[in-house]
Amino acid sequence: MSAGGKKKLGAAPTVEQIQSDIVTRLANQYWAPHSVAPKAPFNNKVIEDIFKKELLGTKFSVRRIMLLEFSQYMENYLWPNFHPEKSTIAHVMSIVIMVNEKFRERVPAWETFKNNPGHFPSFFRRIMSLSLQEEGISLREQTTLVVFLIHCVNSLEIDLIREQAQRLVSLPIWVNLLPGRREQIFKENPKYKKFWNVIKKSDAKAEEATLQNLDYERRFLARLIQKYCIVLDSIPTSGPVSMSKVHYCERFIELMVDLEALLPTRRFFNTLMDDSHVVVKSHMSNLAKIDEGKLFSQLLDMLKFYSGFEISDQTGEALTDHNMTDIHYDRITSLQKAAFKHFSEELNQFALSNVAGIDTRETLLKHFKPLSNFKLHQIAAYLRLVEPPEEGKENVHSTDFLLELLVSRHERRPSQLEALNEMPLYPTEEIIWDENIVPMEYFSGEGCLALPKLNLQFLTLHDYLLRNFNLFRLESTYEIRQDIEDAVSRMKPWKGEDGTSLFGGWARMAQPIIGFNVVEVAKPNIGENHPAQVRADITVNLNLRPQIKAEWEMLRKHDVAFLITVRPVKNYGWKYIHTEPFIPQVGLTYVRGCEIEGMLDADGRVIEEGPDPKPELKGDTRTYRVWLDPNQYQQDMSATVEGKEDVYETFNVIMRRKPKENNFKAVLETIRDLMNTDCVVPDWLHDIILGYGDPGAAHYLKMDNQIASLDWNDTFLSYDHLRASFPGYEIKPKVNDPGKLVPPFRLTFPIQTSGKRKHGEEAPQEAEKVIAVEPHVIPNRGPYLYSQPKRNAVPFTPTQIEAIKAGTQPGLTVVVGPPGTGKTDVAVQIISNLYHNFPDQRTLIVTHSNQALNQLFEKIMALDVDERHLLRLGHGEEALETEKDFSRYGRVNYVLSQRLELLDEVARLQESLGVPGDVAYTCETAGHFYLYQVLSRWEEFLSKAKAPAGKSGDVFKIQELFPFSKFFENAPQPLFKGRSYEEDLDIAEGCFRHIRKIFTQLEEFRAFELLRSGADRSRYLLVKEAKIIAMTCTHAALKRRDLVQVGFKYDNIMMEESAQILEIETFIPLLLQNPQDGYNRLKRWIMIGDHHQLPPVIKNMAFQKFSNMEQSLFTRFVRLGVPTVDLDAQGRARGSLCNLYNWRYKILGNLPHVSVWPEYRAANPGFHFDFQLIDVGDFNRVGESEPNPYFYQNLAEAEYVVAVFMYMRMLGYPSEKISILTTYNGQKHLIRDVISQRCGNNPLIGWPSKVTTVDRFQGQQNDYILLSLVRTKAVGHLRDVRRLVVAMSRARLGLYIFARVALFQNCFELTPAFNQLTARPMQLHLAPSELYPSSRKIDEPPNGPTLIIEDMPHMASFVYDFYRNKVEMIMQRTGHQQPKVLQRPPQKKATPSIPQETPAVTVVEQPKVEKDMMEEHPGVDSDSDEEKGGENEEKDK
């Protein structure tokens, strides 16, 4: 399959086909876990037959391999019966094919070997020998072995794999180098010579068999390269080409790229590959010159890039451009010296030229081309590139090869950064529809692609950023292609009779352009050849519905839009066909990107964003000022000079995109900026981010700057809570009075040193586990109730306390939070503790979604954090459930209003003291008033009221002398209690603290009097005033340049939902500030997430599967072995529901309230069980259908789910407590349509809280979940256990799953959950006599008889009758109107003939009620993907 071709895998087999298949019959006989029959003994002939007939015989059909892998062939038959000597080639190959299939399906592949590792080394040795074997194995099978080796290289975090792979790439492989070259390297790196001598001594002592084995491992890769060269040389320039040879070469180059892109594997291998001249030989091969070799050439470019990457193979340190230039100059000068010394006659001019004049390909060819083959061979041998020529023997190397070898090694390296800086960031039509660059959606995982991979490790930060840059750019391009195709096809471009373009339709996201003018082309900056900026005006007519018109008018500054030229070729009335190629149908010619500067007002000025109301514009014509890409403009104008068309005079469509999906340009600019600056990542994080060194090096216990004593503020609810929070520690209070042991507490921990010790030195003794506890009293804050501190009320568990402790210490803290374990509470407490312990430090909060950020913010506001120190950046603050505005301008307004309130208080204080003048006019005059009038009175009061040493004070003296009594007349009275001197003095000091705080705040607000503009004030707020700044990862990527320019600084980063954030979007927030003296001031990085739930959304399967782009940095850290704090107690779901997913975690129990609170102790009324898996069969012989590719629907499940929802509503369940989830978008739309037809408009039933997909519902919960799994032919993407965990963990009290049980119970990955589900009856058990809320306890049997539902039509009929009999009777008894009559339920059709697929689009009409006819349900995909339910329903159609 071509990369990205629209080819789809063969249709997945149905359950019936699976059950009748020969593979299934063999599985039931020999290895299937759910088979009832006793298992037959192992028979090697079974493996041979399956391999020959089912694999070789079908040319490795994906469908057959899927069936075998799904039947647990490897786990239960192949590996348990593998024998190092006895197992045949077929047996080894079958295991390899199953492992490769697991990787293709993206399910765990190595678990079987980890559980039984004994024979793995022997198995790996068999793989090596088969890879080199000449006979008895086909090239296609050897390609499969190369793919297996690729998977091994990408799984080095698995100890089992690493042990085998490291032997193939360690120092001894240099035995294959030319002796002269090896000695030269040893001369440059003497330490390698020492290691080499140690290896030789060890070899001398080894036995013959061991030595042979070692030699085989050392020479394996060199021999594999030789084999590759033989295959490569056998490909002809013309005539038929063997695609099996092409695929072998492509996969081999992919293996080479993967070995080169990891430092542990490239360190010694890169020299071997260079010595074998793989790149030069491949570049000169026939395959690189023919059409079939296009992908091969793209892979070769990647290999060439990595073989010469800017890194020292010896030290692993990144090389700068200066270092690379030095290396280049050294090579050229050594060549010149050789030429001068030995070949002065032929190369005299070359030897005496300056480097800059001879280091281009053209000049090198000019000097070396005239030389003979023998001379070229001599030069190459002198440089130790090839073996020396032997007199009288024919030269084995061609002249072209030797010439290319010398030229490619010594030509000037083009600067990648310069090319990157000149690259346009917006994709054009040439890139968008090139499937070699941007693969199609339906990537099966079989083929190989020329895309970078995101794995465990990266060579340097430059490599890290570059891979992410390329992938992010291509993934964005793919999404842009989808948007353009959708919008332009909806507009129905037609060719008019006069040849002009007409638009017969309309699109929400695109509009025809009335006018386009380039209004500014600024002069280039010094050193650049493109304009500094290019601006244009675009005029459109917004004669649209008010809602959509408002969306166009709401386009913000920096939003990206696309300018499209369409030249229709189809005549009036033609209808777009989705299955046909897009461009020929619509006549799309050009696509260019632009960035909105703003809409123009009536005077032609850009309307600025800000708190001021926008002017109202008359009519429907609107003009936008946009920035065009200067790089692209320069290229287009250069093409125009050469006679091509001026692109900028042709645009006739402008397309906008959804703001959430439209941040790609800003992210790409940010990555490019980072590549152009010296990225200063904190030293303690650098190696961990690249994936090297000790993964625990940044844990707080290994940091040198641990903080022994910290104020834990309101973390503990009591002293007993504190003691219970540190099991294994001895708690030593510093006070003996139990009455004083009340929070807040200051805790002092023993510091555990982790200093590196020298060889032979004893390990440092572990510190004693003793915690010193010192209670302290929060100073009195004044007499007003609103001044009293807010307190935490969450009784944190010991594990949560460990997470809070780690988060407040310097270093990297990774918290794994399973569903319902209080991740947000932990995050908020860490933030609060940092705020109180380090008042001068600033904390940045970053989350994936606005929803998570708002939840976090609302909880922070409930703690003792002064709201003037909170700031929320981005556009999500509108959703905060508070009247307070935490945006930049909202905070500025808050400060200004607070200033006026405080100055009023100052005026009141002035009046109470009888001071003349206007001291409350500004913050400055108030400051003078405090200094000269207030402070002096307070100091006088203290001098008179303080008791002499050793004597008790006079209690009445305080009340008599206190100077501010009149000011505090509005406080609760009496102000002084008169009970004791100490108490009244504390009250007096609290009153003064209240006054001092007024003037402290005014001093902070003084800057706002000096700064006049809103922008300056908001900038000051961001840089100086705010202590806790929150934003989404998207906003951080969008605004990095602005934040750095204004001097933004922060010390701590808290990341919530870390496992859902793309790798690069996690990395960018680390660098939102400029380094200080070459160091990053970041002290703490707290990441909270759950890698067992769904990863970031990557729409294109090629980037998701092949490039592993969905891997978050959080997940990579966990894979690397970074220490984690695993929260181990959940408080969301019933214990029985938690058991469905807690097996996925190290340990996950239940908090006490889950078994105590009444809602958890009560049964679900109307149901026999609190969770149940309901088996749903075909309805009228139809299970799943697929009206559009990957748009799966299942009518039987949709009807069943909706019937159960209606039943629950009739028992009295509140609709807001029920959510309907499904695993596919198609089913989501079908369920919405069924609800709409069955009950959506019925006021007694209505809509559930949400009808959405499992993926969209991540991070949310509800009391009752109805879940439809849809598939009946293949398990599909629920096989990703992370999706199963999310699906099972959304419900608090009740979970009812509708699925084809026979399919899902056989899935190996889902076994732990489905074993529990299938232990209960698989027919729905109801108790219709009960009502909500329940009076029955969870462990009691239902009241009244249990109704067992046979199938969907039975349930639908029951609900219909139940509604008619019960609800109508209740309504009539209460004297209400006759309720709305339900539609008749679906019936089984009498006739067997039924179409196999639900049509993609069906007009919904009022159905006729016939006894045995079923209405159609369209399940049409709407223009919107909003979650739908209740009042949130969006009317798109």
Side-chain angles (χ1 to χ4, degrees):
M1 185 183 93
S2 66
K6 235 180 182 177
K7 177 182 169 188
K8 207 181 147 200
L9 290 181
T14 63
V15 175
E16 291 77 11
Q17 287 170 328
I18 288 172
Q19 288 169 351
S20 64
D21 192 275
I22 179 66
V23 169
T24 308
R25 293 208 300 274
L26 286 170
N28 289 333
Q29 189 178 349
Y30 288 97
W31 68 79
H34 292 286
S35 171
V36 182
K39 301 288 179 290
F42 172 71
N43 184 352
N44 194 55
K45 190 172 182 303
V46 173
I47 294 174
E48 292 288 329
D49 287 348
I50 288 175
F51 184 70
K52 284 175 184 167
K53 294 174 185 173
E54 303 298 323
L55 299 175
L56 276 181
T58 61
K59 296 183 179 176
F60 299 102
S61 157
V62 174
R63 185 169 163 175
R64 307 306 292 161
I65 294 171
M66 279 172 71
L67 202 57
L68 277 165
E69 191 276 324
F70 189 70
S71 72
Q72 302 179 32
Y73 184 38
M74 184 175 82
E75 293 88 343
N76 297 337
Y77 204 65
L78 291 174
W79 188 243
N81 296 301
F82 175 78
H83 191 277
E85 283 84 34
K86 295 178 184 175
S87 291
T88 61
I89 292 177
H91 196 143
V92 175
M93 287 302 303
S94 297
I95 294 173
V96 168
I97 289 165
M98 292 303 108
V99 171
N100 290 352
E101 174 61 15
K102 283 185 180 292
F103 272 94
R104 193 188 73 79
E105 293 264 359
R106 293 187 68 76
V107 294
W110 304 115
E111 300 303 315
T112 308
F113 303 105
K114 281 165 39 179
N115 295 336
N116 184 10
H119 290 319
F120 190 79
S122 310
F123 170 69
F124 197 81
R125 179 61 189 266
R126 290 288 299 275
I127 300 288
M128 290 160 61
S129 63
L130 286 174
S131 300
L132 301 174
Q133 196 167 309
E134 296 297 330
E135 296 175 358
I137 184 167
S138 69
L139 198 59
R140 181 159 189 170
E141 291 169 78
Q142 287 185 322
T143 305
T144 307
L145 293 171
V146 173
V147 174
F148 179 84
L149 291 173
I150 290 168
H151 295 320
C152 290
V153 171
N154 290 315
S155 304
L156 292 181
E157 78 273 22
I158 310 292
D159 295 339
L160 197 68
I161 309 298
R162 189 169 61 250
E163 285 170 18
Q164 303 305 318
Q166 277 182 337
R167 296 177 185 178
L168 309 184
V169 291
S170 53
L171 178 63
I173 66 169
W174 280 1
V175 72
N176 302 286
L177 299 183
L178 290 171
R181 178 158 189 185
R182 188 168 59 235
E183 289 308 314
Q184 182 188 5
I185 296 170
F186 287 159
K187 197 174 176 184
E188 293 168 0
N189 299 278
K191 66 173 183 177
Y192 286 154
K193 180 70 175 174
K194 288 181 186 175
F195 293 145
W196 187 259
N197 291 334
V198 170
I199 291 165
K200 285 172 74 174
K201 283 180 187 175
S202 175
D203 288 353
K205 297 176 187 173
E207 296 178 6
E208 185 65 27
T210 308
L211 207 56
Q212 282 182 355
N213 198 28
L214 288 170
D215 189 62
Y216 189 88
E217 288 173 348
R218 292 166 186 174
R219 296 187 184 275
F220 170 69
L221 284 173
R223 287 173 178 164
L224 195 64
I225 289 171
Q226 289 168 7
K227 178 178 177 62
Y228 157 76
C229 291
I230 292 167
V231 174
L232 189 66
D233 291 342
S234 69
I235 295 173
T237 46
S238 57
V241 177
S242 165
M243 289 313 292
S244 60
K245 289 182 179 179
V246 174
H247 293 322
Y248 180 84
C249 293
E250 287 169 354
R251 286 297 193 177
F252 179 84
I253 296 293
E254 185 190 344
L255 174 63
M256 296 293 104
V257 170
D258 287 352
L259 286 167
E260 287 284 297
L262 290 171
L263 192 58
T265 53
R266 92 172 258 134
R267 176 163 275 144
F268 303 110
F269 175 73
N270 189 40
T271 309
L272 171 65
M273 194 182 80
D274 187 55
D275 193 65
S276 306
H277 313 304
V278 171
V279 174
V280 174
K281 288 176 181 175
S282 302
H283 182 67
M284 296 185 67
S285 68
N286 294 331
L287 182 56
K289 298 165 190 165
I290 58 178
D291 291 342
E292 289 84 353
K294 188 171 183 182
L295 176 59
F296 173 79
S297 299
Q298 290 171 331
L299 287 161
L300 189 56
D301 289 342
M302 288 178 66
L303 182 61
K304 188 176 180 182
F305 169 72
Y306 275 112
S307 64
F309 194 79
E310 303 95 330
I311 188 171
S312 164
D313 292 337
Q314 283 70 43
T315 64
E317 291 178 5
L319 300 176
T320 62
D321 274 350
H322 185 72
N323 299 140
M324 295 301 289
T325 304
D326 287 347
I327 292 168
H328 170 64
Y329 273 49
D330 288 346
R331 282 183 176 178
I332 286 275
T333 48
S334 65
L335 181 61
Q336 285 182 301
K337 285 175 185 174
F340 185 77
K341 189 173 181 182
H342 301 285
F343 314 101
S344 56
E345 289 179 21
E346 299 90 343
L347 295 172
N348 188 43
Q349 187 183 350
F350 173 81
L352 299 174
S353 299
N354 67 335
V355 173
I358 55 169
D359 64 353
T360 63
R361 175 169 279 270
E362 292 73 23
T363 52
L364 286 166
L365 282 172
K366 187 180 85 173
H367 286 290
F368 285 94
K369 210 165 189 179
L371 301 183
S372 67
N373 181 291
F374 187 73
K375 283 285 183 190
L376 288 171
H377 197 152
Q378 281 185 307
I379 296 169
Y382 180 82
L383 296 172
R384 300 180 182 87
L385 300 178
V386 294
E387 69 287 347
E390 294 183 32
E391 291 288 343
K393 281 196 175 181
E394 188 182 344
N395 197 346
V396 292
H397 301 297
S398 69
T399 304
D400 288 344
F401 169 74
L402 293 168
L403 202 57
E404 180 62 29
L405 190 60
L406 289 169
V407 170
S408 61
R409 188 172 182 80
H410 297 98
E411 66 181 324
R412 188 187 306 149
R413 185 180 64 93
S415 169
Q416 182 147 21
L417 207 53
E418 283 179 22
L420 197 73
N421 290 335
E422 290 170 10
M423 178 195 293
L425 292 179
Y426 301 110
T428 65
E429 70 286 347
E430 292 172 1
I431 294 172
I432 294 173
W433 282 276
D434 183 342
E435 289 176 21
N436 285 313
I437 299 172
V438 186
M440 286 297 286
E441 180 178 10
Y442 311 122
F443 175 73
S444 66
E446 286 177 274
C448 161
L449 295 167
L451 293 174
K453 295 177 185 175
L454 302 183
N455 199 20
L456 275 179
Q457 298 170 319
F458 299 86
L459 296 177
T460 61
L461 280 177
H462 180 81
D463 175 42
Y464 176 80
L465 290 167
L466 190 65
R467 289 195 220 183
N468 279 288
F469 179 88
N470 287 328
L471 282 175
F472 196 90
R473 178 169 161 261
L474 296 174
E475 163 69 5
S476 305
T477 303
Y478 165 74
E479 292 176 18
I480 290 161
R481 175 168 74 201
Q482 287 185 313
D483 288 346
I484 292 176
E485 290 186 3
D486 179 60
V488 174
S489 62
R490 287 174 187 273
M491 291 184 75
K492 297 179 185 173
W494 294 333
K495 184 178 180 181
E497 292 179 1
D498 56 352
T500 55
S501 302
L502 301 173
F503 294 101
W506 75 280
R508 185 178 196 156
M509 308 304 284
Q511 285 297 308
I513 291 175
I514 298 172
F516 180 90
N517 295 302
V518 175
V519 295
E520 181 194 8
V521 180
K523 289 180 181 178
N525 294 325
I526 293 171
E528 295 177 347
N529 64 349
H530 59 76
Q533 75 170 10
V534 183
R535 297 197 298 171
D537 285 353
I538 301 165
T539 306
V540 294
N541 189 307
L542 300 180
N543 185 12
L544 301 162
R545 286 186 304 191
Q547 178 193 355
I548 298 171
K549 183 178 180 180
E551 288 176 8
W552 279 92
E553 291 182 336
M554 285 293 289
L555 282 175
R556 289 174 165 142
K557 190 175 185 178
H558 300 302
D559 279 354
V560 171
F562 284 88
L563 305 170
I564 302 166
T565 301
V566 176
R567 289 178 178 149
V569 290
K570 305 291 185 181
N571 293 326
Y572 187 88
W574 160 86
K575 190 176 180 183
Y576 179 74
I577 304 165
H578 286 272
T579 53
E580 297 291 320
F582 168 73
I583 290 180
Q585 290 190 79
V586 299
L588 186 137
T589 313
Y590 302 117
V591 175
R592 295 290 181 270
C594 66
E595 192 175 338
I596 303 288
E597 183 181 354
M599 198 160 60
L600 302 187
D601 61 17
D603 300 322
R605 288 192 295 264
V606 173
I607 300 169
E608 294 293 337
E609 289 187 359
D612 301 328
K614 293 187 178 179
E616 287 190 21
L617 301 177
K618 295 177 182 178
D620 294 327
T621 303
R622 299 287 182 268
T623 301
Y624 295 93
R625 176 75 44 83
V626 300
W627 289 292
L628 301 174
D629 188 320
N631 284 325
Q632 186 67 56
Y633 188 81
Q634 175 67 24
Q635 290 179 14
D636 289 334
M637 289 300 104
S638 301
T640 306
V641 170
E642 292 171 10
K644 292 188 179 175
E645 183 178 28
D646 185 351
V647 175
Y648 297 91
E649 292 181 358
T650 64
F651 298 130
N652 54 2
V653 174
I654 179 172
M655 186 195 82
R656 63 189 174 95
R657 299 179 70 219
K658 292 178 183 174
K660 285 183 183 177
E661 301 162 0
N662 209 18
N663 63 339
F664 76 96
K665 179 179 180 278
V667 176
L668 292 177
E669 273 184 335
T670 297
I671 300 173
R672 195 159 70 177
D673 285 350
L674 289 173
M675 292 173 80
N676 280 287
T677 56
D678 290 329
C679 278
V680 182
V681 173
D683 291 341
W684 50 274
L685 269 179
H686 184 275
D687 287 355
I688 292 176
I689 285 174
L690 293 180
Y692 300 115
D694 175 12
H699 189 258
Y700 75 92
L701 292 176
K702 294 189 178 180
M703 297 290 282
D704 296 330
N705 55 345
Q706 286 181 59
I707 300 162
S709 185
L710 283 169
D711 178 6
W712 284 65
N713 200 27
D714 56 352
T715 307
F716 304 106
L717 305 186
S718 64
Y719 181 64
D720 289 338
H721 180 208
L722 186 155
R723 293 180 59 184
S725 297
F726 296 102
Y729 276 87
E730 182 187 348
I731 309 295
K732 281 193 174 177
K734 289 190 177 180
V735 293
N736 296 323
D737 182 1
K740 291 185 178 178
L741 285 173
V742 291
F745 299 109
R746 175 174 285 279
L747 271 56
T748 305
F749 287 86
I751 293 291
Q752 296 184 13
T753 54
S754 62
K756 292 180 182 175
R757 54 196 174 95
K758 293 176 183 174
H759 183 68
E761 193 175 304
E762 284 188 24
Q765 288 188 341
E766 193 173 315
E768 290 182 48
K769 291 199 164 188
V770 179
I771 302 172
V773 177
E774 181 185 1
H776 66 91
V777 179
I778 296 174
N780 191 317
R781 295 186 183 180
Y784 300 104
L785 290 175
Y786 63 77
S787 300
Q788 304 315 308
K790 301 171 190 169
R791 291 188 173 279
N792 158 58
V794 179
F796 291 111
T797 66
T799 318
Q800 288 175 322
I801 292 293
E802 172 58 27
I804 294 167
K805 177 188 172 189
T808 45
Q809 290 285 352
L812 172 65
T813 302
V814 180
V815 180
V816 177
T821 49
K823 295 188 284 286
T824 309
D825 291 324
V826 168
V828 167
Q829 196 61 41
I830 291 172
I831 292 163
S832 173
N833 287 6
L834 289 173
Y835 174 81
H836 288 286
N837 278 281
F838 310 102
D840 295 332
Q841 292 186 13
R842 297 151 63 76
T843 301
L844 175 66
I845 304 173
V846 180
T847 68
H848 165 64
S849 65
N850 279 310
Q851 179 192 0
L853 201 50
N854 292 340
Q855 284 176 356
L856 208 58
F857 231 61
E858 281 157 19
K859 290 197 173 185
I860 291 171
M861 285 156 54
L863 288 182
D864 186 25
V865 175
D866 193 324
E867 69 172 85
R868 78 179 191 274
H869 292 141
L870 295 173
L871 179 62
R872 167 85 163 78
L873 298 182
H875 295 295
E877 71 276 352
E878 295 95 339
L880 266 170
E881 292 178 7
T882 171
E883 293 175 2
K884 295 169 182 174
D885 183 355
F886 286 91
S887 68
R888 276 209 222 184
Y889 289 112
R891 291 293 84 194
V892 168
N893 290 336
Y894 166 78
V895 166
L896 296 175
S897 65
Q898 189 76 356
R899 169 185 165 274
L900 293 175
E901 286 180 22
L902 293 173
L903 288 174
D904 287 344
E905 286 293 283
V906 172
R908 200 166 63 81
L909 179 61
Q910 176 196 1
E911 185 186 338
S912 70
L913 296 176
V915 176
D918 188 1
V919 298
Y921 182 62
T922 65
C923 296
E924 185 180 7
T925 55
H928 293 308
F929 169 63
Y930 172 72
L931 205 57
Y932 296 117
Q933 300 290 343
V934 179
L935 200 56
S936 58
R937 284 174 166 78
W938 173 249
E939 287 169 349
E940 183 186 352
F941 163 75
L942 284 180
S943 64
K944 292 179 179 176
K946 281 267 183 177
K951 294 184 180 180
S952 59
D954 185 353
V955 66
F956 298 108
K957 210 171 183 181
I958 291 175
Q959 191 168 352
E960 182 185 322
L961 295 173
F962 187 62
F964 310 116
S965 296
K966 191 175 179 186
F967 176 72
F968 287 106
E969 281 178 348
N970 60 351
Q973 298 296 326
L975 190 60
F976 297 102
K977 307 294 185 281
R979 289 190 289 257
S980 72
Y981 170 80
E982 289 76 14
E983 182 186 8
D984 280 5
L985 184 62
D986 183 54
I987 291 170
E989 287 175 341
C991 289
F992 181 69
R993 283 190 195 97
H994 177 83
I995 292 172
R996 189 172 59 196
K997 185 180 177 183
I998 292 173
F999 291 98
T1000 306
Q1001 287 189 42
L1002 283 171
E1003 185 58 34
E1004 287 181 15
F1005 296 165
R1006 189 175 165 189
F1008 290 85
E1009 293 181 344
L1010 305 173
L1011 301 168
R1012 306 309 297 170
S1013 76
D1016 287 342
R1017 286 170 169 175
S1018 69
R1019 203 170 290 135
Y1020 177 83
L1021 192 76
L1022 171 67
V1023 176
K1024 296 287 184 188
E1025 184 72 4
K1027 296 283 188 283
I1028 297 170
I1029 303 100
M1031 65 182 80
T1032 62
C1033 56
T1034 305
H1035 187 83
L1038 287 171
K1039 300 293 182 183
R1040 181 195 175 266
R1041 189 180 285 179
D1042 297 345
L1043 292 169
V1044 169
Q1045 279 176 352
V1046 299
F1048 181 50
K1049 294 279 185 287
Y1050 52 94
D1051 305 89
N1052 315 303
I1053 291 185
M1054 160 75 69
M1055 284 189 182
E1056 254 266 47
E1057 300 184 314
S1058 302
Q1060 286 178 263
I1061 306 177
L1062 281 176
E1063 173 111 23
I1064 190 64
E1065 290 188 334
T1066 315
F1067 178 75
I1068 288 171
L1070 298 179
L1071 299 165
L1072 298 182
Q1073 57 187 344
N1074 278 324
Q1076 290 180 327
D1077 304 322
Y1079 293 95
N1080 190 314
R1081 65 182 269 169
L1082 191 69
K1083 299 171 181 65
R1084 294 171 189 78
W1085 186 13
I1086 303 120
M1087 302 176 80
I1088 300 178
D1090 183 5
H1091 59 292
H1092 292 307
Q1093 294 187 57
L1094 285 166
V1097 177
I1098 303 296
K1099 291 185 179 177
N1100 188 303
M1101 297 298 281
F1103 302 120
Q1104 181 189 321
K1105 288 186 174 183
F1106 185 84
S1107 297
N1108 200 26
M1109 195 178 171
E1110 69 172 10
Q1111 177 179 262
S1112 62
L1113 186 57
F1114 183 93
T1115 305
R1116 185 158 71 87
F1117 279 172
V1118 173
R1119 282 181 67 199
L1120 281 167
V1122 171
T1124 60
V1125 180
D1126 294 64
L1127 303 184
D1128 56 6
Q1130 68 88 29
R1132 175 189 291 173
R1134 295 186 195 276
S1136 56
L1137 295 183
C1138 177
N1139 292 338
L1140 294 173
Y1141 56 88
N1142 65 5
W1143 51 271
R1144 195 72 186 95
Y1145 298 92
K1146 289 180 188 173
I1147 180 168
L1148 180 58
N1150 301 306
L1151 291 169
H1153 72 255
V1154 169
S1155 54
V1156 175
W1157 286 3
E1159 59 193 283
Y1160 293 106
R1161 298 190 65 185
N1164 296 345
F1167 292 95
H1168 199 295
F1169 301 103
D1170 52 0
F1171 71 83
Q1172 206 179 348
L1173 172 64
I1174 297 107
D1175 190 19
V1176 183
D1178 287 355
F1179 178 63
N1180 291 330
R1181 297 178 61 190
V1182 179
E1184 72 175 58
S1185 59
E1186 193 179 3
N1188 293 324
Y1190 296 93
F1191 192 76
Y1192 294 105
Q1193 299 182 330
N1194 184 322
L1195 187 56
E1197 286 185 19
E1199 288 280 6
Y1200 211 147
V1201 166
V1202 174
V1204 172
F1205 164 68
M1206 293 163 68
Y1207 168 71
M1208 293 174 76
R1209 289 288 290 127
M1210 285 185 271
L1211 294 184
Y1213 283 85
S1215 60
E1216 67 272 10
K1217 290 186 179 293
I1218 307 168
S1219 291
I1220 298 178
L1221 304 184
T1222 176
T1223 44
Y1224 287 91
N1225 255 324
Q1227 185 74 347
K1228 172 189 75 178
H1229 291 296
L1230 182 60
I1231 290 171
R1232 289 178 182 175
D1233 287 329
V1234 174
I1235 292 174
S1236 187
Q1237 290 199 359
R1238 295 265 172 256
C1239 60
N1241 297 324
N1242 189 322
L1244 298 180
I1245 300 174
W1247 285 82
S1249 169
K1250 292 268 174 74
V1251 179
T1252 188
T1253 58
V1254 169
D1255 297 44
R1256 294 285 298 239
F1257 204 65
Q1258 179 163 340
Q1260 302 175 60
Q1261 64 185 46
N1262 210 339
D1263 286 2
Y1264 305 97
I1265 298 292
L1266 307 178
L1267 174 64
S1268 167
L1269 299 186
V1270 189
R1271 303 300 299 276
T1272 59
K1273 296 177 181 177
V1275 171
H1277 63 199
L1278 190 71
R1279 209 174 164 192
D1280 185 337
V1281 179
R1282 296 171 299 186
R1283 188 167 280 104
L1284 178 82
V1285 168
V1286 175
M1288 298 290 142
S1289 59
R1290 298 306 96 200
R1292 293 180 65 244
L1293 305 174
L1295 174 65
Y1296 301 95
I1297 305 167
F1298 302 82
R1300 184 65 56 90
V1301 174
L1303 176 67
F1304 289 93
Q1305 73 174 1
N1306 285 323
C1307 184
F1308 178 69
E1309 290 75 25
L1310 311 184
T1311 304
F1314 274 84
N1315 281 351
Q1316 296 178 59
L1317 291 167
T1318 52
R1320 293 186 173 182
M1322 280 164 282
Q1323 288 181 315
L1324 185 59
H1325 283 46
L1326 301 180
S1329 59
E1330 297 181 342
L1331 291 174
Y1332 182 93
S1334 179
S1335 56
R1336 171 167 62 98
K1337 294 286 182 283
I1338 189 71
D1339 49 358
E1340 294 174 359
N1343 303 321
T1346 298
L1347 173 65
I1348 299 174
I1349 302 296
E1350 294 173 9
D1351 54 14
M1352 183 275 288
H1354 183 191
M1355 183 66 192
S1357 300
F1358 165 70
V1359 168
Y1360 180 80
D1361 295 335
F1362 190 67
Y1363 178 90
R1364 191 178 58 192
N1365 297 337
K1366 186 173 182 177
V1367 181
E1368 288 186 15
M1369 183 177 68
I1370 294 170
M1371 294 292 287
Q1372 287 165 5
R1373 187 188 304 157
T1374 54
H1376 286 80
Q1377 293 177 346
Q1378 186 74 6
K1380 187 168 179 175
V1381 178
L1382 284 186
Q1383 266 183 17
R1384 285 195 64 77
Q1387 305 290 325
K1388 289 187 180 177
K1389 287 194 177 181
T1391 51
S1393 59
I1394 185 136
Q1396 286 299 306
E1397 292 189 342
T1398 306
V1401 179
T1402 307
V1403 178
V1404 184
E1405 297 177 357
Q1406 192 61 33
K1408 296 175 182 176
V1409 180
E1410 292 185 23
K1411 191 170 182 180
D1412 51 3
M1413 282 297 289
M1414 169 70 195
E1415 311 88 19
E1416 294 280 9
H1417 288 292
V1420 183
D1421 195 1
S1422 71
D1423 199 17
S1424 158
D1425 196 36
E1426 293 300 310
E1427 294 169 351
K1428 192 170 181 182
E1431 298 302 315
N1432 300 330
E1433 183 180 348
E1434 185 174 332
K1435 305 294 182 186
D1436 281 321
K1437 300 172 212 169

